[in-house]
Each structure stands twice: as C-alpha cells, then as structure tokens.
Amino acid sequence: MKWLNQSLFRRLLISYLFIFILGFGLIGIVTSISTSDYITDQKRQDMLQQATSINAIIHHSNVVTDDIKQTIEQLGQFLGSTIWIIDRNGQIVATSSMQELFMGEIMDDALIEDILAGKNRFQVMNIEEEDRPMLSVVVPWGTSEEIYGGIILHSPISGINTTVRNIREIIQWAIISGLVIVSVLVSYLSWSISKPLKKVEEAANEIALGNYKKRVEYHDSVPDEISALLYSFNRMAEKFHKIEEERDLLEERRNDFIANISHELRTPLTAMKGYLEALQDGLVKDKESQQKYYTIMYQESEHLNHLVDDLMDLIKLESREVSLDLYYVKVDDVLKKVFLHLEQAIQEKENNIQLLIPDNVPQLIADSVRLEQIFTNLIHNANKFTSNGSITGEIEVDSSHLIVTIKDTGIGIPSHDLERIWERFFKVDRGRNNRGRRGTGLGLAIVKELVILHNGMISAKSELGKGTAFTMKFPLYEQRKSN
Ligand SMILES: Nc1ncnc2c1ncn2[C@@H]1O[C@H](COP(=O)(O)OP(=O)(O)O)[C@@H](O)[C@H]1O
Ligand SMILES: [Mg+2]
C-alpha cells in the first residue's frame, strides 16, 4: 500500500482509473457477450426462415431433379450461403456450390433422427476445405405428412464475429477516451482540493511567523467541505489577530500607565528634594520660611500617599480583585453623611449645599463604604472646581433604577475633554490646576470602576463656565423581586 502515502492527486487518479477500468471493462464484456448472443440468435432466426423458405420452394419433389439443383444453386448464391440437401439416410445428395467432394457423405445419426422427427436443428460445423467455422441450420425436407430428407444451410460465423469485433473496438476507444477524460477531471478535482489546502499551509506558515493579518482568499467554486475549512481557518486567524491587537493595546496601555505613574511620582519627589536641599544647605534662614517649606513638604508627602492609595485601589479594581460587601443600603443616608463630612471644605469655598431627596427612597443592595467613596470623589471634585456657587445632591427613583446626581455650578469641562475625564491620570488642562485643586487624575477612573461593579452606569454632562453634573443609575432589581 505504498501508493497510499503519496500525493492526493496520485491517490485520486489511481482510485478513479481503477474504478473506471473495472466498471467499463465489465460493461464492455457483458455488452459484447450479449450482443454476440443477440446477433447469433438473429442470424439463426434468419437462416431458419431461409431454410424453411427453401423447403417451401422444393418440397413438391421427393427427389433432387436438375431443376431443383439449379434452384438451390441460385438460392445459395443469392443468400451467400451454402445449401446441402440430404436424403433420409443422411447422405448428401445435392450442394448449392457444386462441391462434389461432399457428395455422398453421411451426416451423423443424431441429426438424421431429428430431421425424421420433423425437428429443426442448429449447430456449428467445422467443414474441411472451409477454413472458417460455419453456423448451420438443418430443417426437414418435405411436407408435414412425408419427410424426404433434410435441407442444411451453412453460413460463415465470421460475419457475426466482425460485428462483435467492431463493437469491442468501439468499447475500447470509449474506454481510452474515457481514461483521458477521467485523468483530466481527476487532475482538476485534485487541483481544486490541493490548491486551497496549499494556500492554507502558506497562510498558516505566515501566521506562525507573526503576520496575523494573513487570510486565505477563495472562490465559491471550492467544494463545501474545503470552503468550510477555509472559513474556519480565517475565523481562527481573525481571532488570533484580535488577541494580538488586544495584547498590543494592553501593552501600550501598560506602558502609558507606567510612564504616567513615574511622572506623577517624580513631581512631588522632585519638589520635596528641592526644598530639602534648600533647608540642608541652610539657604532658608528665617523660621517662618522654614515652616512654610516644611508644610509644603508635608503636603507633597500627603499627596504621594494619596497617589499610592488611589493607584492600589484602581489596580485592584481593574484586575477585578475587589469584591463588594453587599447589604441593603439607604443611599440618601450615605449621601447626607458625605456632604456632612465635606461641609467644612465646601463652606471654605463659599459654596452652598442643596439636597433634593424624595421621601421613601428604596434601599439599594450595595457596598456602603464603596458608595461613600464614589460620592466623596464626586462631591470633592465638584467643590474643587466650584467657588461661590452651589453643589447639589439629588436622588430620583424610576420603575427600576435609583438615580443619583451630583451637580455643581463650577468651571465646567470643555466638551472635547468630556470623554477623556474617565481615563487614568487625565486632568483637564493641567495649567488650570492650582495647588488647591491638585488631584491625582485617578478619582473618576476609580468612580467608574466602582459604579460598574455595582452594575450601574455613570455619565457626565458639562457646560464650560456653567457647571457639571454626574449622573449614576443603579438597578433596583432586587427590590422589584421582593415586591
Ligand atoms: N465637577 C467638575 N468640574 C470640572 N471639572 C471636573 C469636575 N470633575 C472632574 N473634572 C475634571 O476631570 C479631571 C479628572 O478628575 P479626577 O479623575 O477626579 O481627577 P482629579 O480630581 O484627581 O484631578 C479633573 O482633573 C478635572 O479636570
Ligand atoms: Mg478627583
């Protein structure tokens, strides 16, 4: 079975040729045998008819007259056959071709018996002098009342054989041209299968080398199974490409993140180092200035602490390491508590607080500490960017949501930056951040993660110079279930 290890083309070709030759060979053999039988049978019928007709012409006489001799000679020529007349003893008494050498010869007993019984008889005779075999038919000579002997009609079998040979030749040619056609078809078939497979192989190699954009192109003409394979292959390549892109994006974000962290850490550290050096070198002499420097350094280290805390929080949130402590929470109470905490800071910036809270706010299943963190961040931001204005905390309830809005009348956010405020470290126009407003740029990123963790959504609306509003929507489905 060595050929089984060979190429698709050879396997297909050999299988097809084998099937074809076997099939057509069998058909050829069966056809030639049956046509030969059919033609022989037909020939026999014709000869029987002819022999019977000869009898009809000569049965008026029970002896072979010259007249009869002449008639059978003419009939023999006309029919292209040899006619013998035998008597009741089986002796040849006349021949159509004046073959004197057969005269007087005696036929075998079985034949004579059949004739005398009035039966017809067929047989293949090998006659001396005639080098080809003859098909012979024997019919009784005479009438139904009296049989005088027999009439034997010989016709060469070669006519039949020629016809059969012709048919065989036609079949041979059919097989040969069939083989050519089969070879061409098999070539096309194996080409149509192996070509896309080759393409898949090439594409797989390219993908293995890192070209994830590589796809296999194909026509609708490829067989279904192959097109299914190509489709799946392309889908797999697509998946690889996506994974690669996601990996690249992740990598890029990670690098950005690290660059941002370094920058954010370096800023306070550089400042602290500068003040420390100045103090160390004794450049700051008076107590008051020294105190000022210490205060700044303390603030910087506080800021660093803040930064590291926020960073850790965000990293944990983004890697889904944070799980919520869920209980029924009175959101209105949490909101009021946060405002109370920040009341002093808010008053310092001469902002006033507005609370719009309806009666009977349904309880939300939430983590109250995290909810407090969300509100603190938002209210802290509102206060940071607002002075001599107002900060509003509002709660609304619709059929399936609890909606909390923190609104201010501060400086607002330019519309082109509104999308970006959720990014880590993003701060609108760093220049406008004075010391009092200094932040880490991580607050809103943390808020967003926390809201999402609560299955909620958060959005921001803002108008430059007029104010900003952050709206959160938390699903109340647990409440709905219990109702
Ligand atoms: N209420 C607000 N009014 C105006 N700008 C805001 C407000 N809240 C957030 N921003 C802008 O979005 C940026 C990102 O906010 P945040 O993530 O909380 O960082 P941080 O407060 O540390 O600067 C802020 O730096 C500020 O530019
Ligand atoms: Mg903030």
Side-chain angles (χ1 to χ4, degrees):
M1 285 292 167
K2 195 162 172 257
W3 63 273
L4 271 176
N5 297 327
Q6 289 162 346
S7 75
L8 185 68
F9 171 68
R10 281 210 213 168
R11 288 183 201 190
L12 276 178
L13 189 67
I14 291 172
S15 320
Y16 272 73
L17 289 185
F18 180 72
I19 293 167
F20 185 82
I21 291 172
L22 194 75
F24 258 69
L26 279 179
I27 290 172
I29 290 166
V30 169
T31 315
S32 67
I33 289 173
S34 61
T35 40
S36 159
D37 282 356
Y38 175 76
I39 293 168
T40 312
D41 201 47
Q42 209 60 39
K43 179 98 178 166
R44 281 174 168 192
Q45 297 303 323
D46 286 352
M47 285 170 71
L48 185 64
Q49 183 91 44
Q50 288 164 0
T52 317
S53 305
I54 294 169
N55 185 48
I57 295 168
I58 65 168
H59 79 278
H60 60 275
S61 168
N62 60 359
V63 288
V64 179
T65 59
D66 284 347
D67 219 22
I68 288 178
K69 271 187 186 165
Q70 213 178 340
T71 309
I72 63 165
E73 193 186 323
Q74 282 166 358
L75 282 170
Q77 271 172 17
F78 175 69
L79 296 171
S81 312
T82 305
I83 304 163
W84 292 350
I85 309 287
I86 55 170
D87 65 12
R88 287 182 64 97
N89 300 321
Q91 196 172 26
I92 300 176
V93 290
T95 70
S96 64
S97 53
M98 297 302 162
Q99 293 158 309
E100 295 306 328
L101 97 150
F102 293 115
M103 291 296 283
E105 251 183 50
I106 304 207
M107 298 285 113
D108 61 272
D109 289 346
L111 188 145
I112 299 160
E113 238 173 67
D114 275 358
I115 293 172
L116 294 181
K119 286 187 197 158
N120 303 325
R121 204 185 146 99
F122 294 100
Q123 68 187 73
V124 176
M125 284 189 186
N126 282 306
I127 303 167
E128 289 170 49
E129 301 295 312
E130 289 276 359
D131 44 7
R132 37 194 188 161
M134 296 296 228
L135 182 65
S136 308
V137 57
V138 187
V139 297
W141 165 36
T143 59
S144 50
E145 289 91 42
E146 197 180 355
I147 292 165
Y148 321 132
I151 301 167
I152 307 179
L153 196 67
H154 302 291
S155 190
I157 290 181
S158 59
I160 301 171
N161 290 345
T162 316
T163 317
V164 172
R165 220 177 7 254
N166 284 344
I167 290 172
R168 283 209 188 120
E169 221 166 85
I170 292 172
I171 291 172
Q172 264 171 26
W173 280 112
I175 289 180
I176 291 171
S177 29
L179 288 181
V180 173
I181 295 171
V182 164
S183 306
V184 171
L185 283 180
V186 167
S187 310
Y188 174 74
L189 185 67
S190 61
W191 175 80
S192 71
I193 295 171
S194 62
K195 197 183 163 205
L197 291 182
K198 188 95 195 134
K199 276 193 186 170
V200 170
E201 188 198 345
E202 283 166 11
N205 282 336
E206 268 206 47
I207 289 173
L209 290 175
N211 178 9
Y212 295 101
K213 283 185 188 152
K214 183 72 189 171
R215 298 286 177 277
V216 184
E217 280 169 21
Y218 58 96
H219 285 287
D220 296 339
S221 61
V222 299
D224 283 354
E225 293 83 351
I226 301 279
S227 77
L229 170 73
L230 299 182
Y231 175 74
S232 306
F233 180 86
N234 282 345
R235 260 190 49 186
M236 184 190 70
E238 188 75 38
K239 189 89 192 168
F240 276 154
H241 190 198
K242 263 211 188 113
I243 292 171
E244 166 84 356
E245 274 181 346
E246 270 164 23
R247 209 185 57 192
D248 286 352
L249 195 78
L250 229 67
E251 179 82 12
E252 203 183 299
R253 284 184 59 187
R254 208 184 58 155
N255 288 341
D256 276 2
F257 195 40
I258 291 171
N260 277 319
I261 292 173
S262 316
H263 175 81
E264 293 296 327
L265 290 176
R266 194 169 291 129
T267 315
L269 283 172
T270 313
M272 282 165 81
K273 197 178 159 209
Y275 290 120
L276 255 178
E277 276 170 2
L279 288 169
Q280 227 174 11
D281 295 348
L283 295 177
V284 193
K285 295 270 171 14
D286 62 304
K287 265 260 175 288
E288 205 180 317
S289 297
Q290 277 179 0
Q291 201 54 49
K292 204 176 107 196
Y293 276 30
Y294 286 131
T295 310
I296 293 172
M297 277 163 58
Y298 179 78
Q299 282 172 352
E300 291 294 341
S301 66
E302 274 280 86
H303 177 73
L304 260 178
N305 248 338
H306 241 93
L307 189 66
V308 173
D309 283 349
D310 278 1
L311 211 51
M312 291 316 291
D313 221 11
L314 186 63
I315 288 172
K316 277 189 196 153
L317 279 166
E318 285 188 346
S319 57
R320 297 278 171 268
E321 273 174 41
V322 174
S323 52
L324 299 176
D325 275 336
L326 295 173
Y327 292 100
Y328 279 103
V329 176
K330 292 186 167 179
V331 181
D332 42 340
D333 285 353
V334 177
L335 190 65
K336 282 177 197 158
K337 183 179 160 193
V338 175
F339 269 111
L340 202 65
H341 272 168
L342 296 172
E343 198 175 12
Q344 204 192 333
I346 293 170
Q347 277 167 1
E348 274 170 20
K349 294 203 69 186
E350 295 181 10
N351 291 322
N352 62 43
I353 298 171
Q354 273 190 325
L355 282 176
L356 302 171
I357 297 172
D359 296 335
N360 302 324
V361 176
Q363 296 191 12
L364 184 72
I365 293 188
D367 183 327
S368 62
V369 176
R370 293 300 190 173
L371 220 49
E372 209 178 305
Q373 190 181 357
I374 294 171
F375 297 157
T376 307
N377 259 303
L378 293 175
I379 297 167
H380 189 78
N381 275 352
N383 192 46
K384 199 154 65 168
F385 299 102
T386 310
S387 38
N388 294 311
S390 68
I391 297 168
T392 310
E394 184 178 3
I395 295 179
E396 289 158 293
V397 181
D398 74 10
S399 59
S400 54
H401 294 95
L402 194 126
I403 302 155
V404 185
T405 306
I406 310 292
K407 208 158 51 179
D408 64 58
T409 57
I411 60 174
I413 301 167
S415 56
H416 57 88
D417 281 334
L418 205 55
E419 280 288 299
R420 302 196 57 201
I421 53 172
W422 310 104
E423 288 173 19
R424 302 180 285 205
F425 298 113
F426 180 81
K427 296 168 202 166
V428 175
D429 179 17
R430 285 168 190 270
R432 76 177 185 171
N433 280 338
N434 60 32
R435 193 158 296 278
R437 283 175 183 166
R438 187 156 175 209
T440 59
L442 296 174
L444 286 180
I446 292 171
V447 165
K448 187 166 185 176
E449 290 291 338
L450 284 173
V451 172
I452 289 172
L453 210 57
H454 279 90
N455 294 325
M457 290 183 299
I458 181 163
S459 61
K461 269 189 192 155
S462 186
E463 208 174 323
L464 212 53
K466 293 218 167 146
T468 309
F470 287 89
T471 305
M472 286 154 281
K473 240 179 156 180
F474 297 103
L476 279 170
Y477 30 70
E478 293 301 326
Q479 269 83 354
R480 265 207 313 191
K481 256 188 218 163
S482 58
N483 278 353

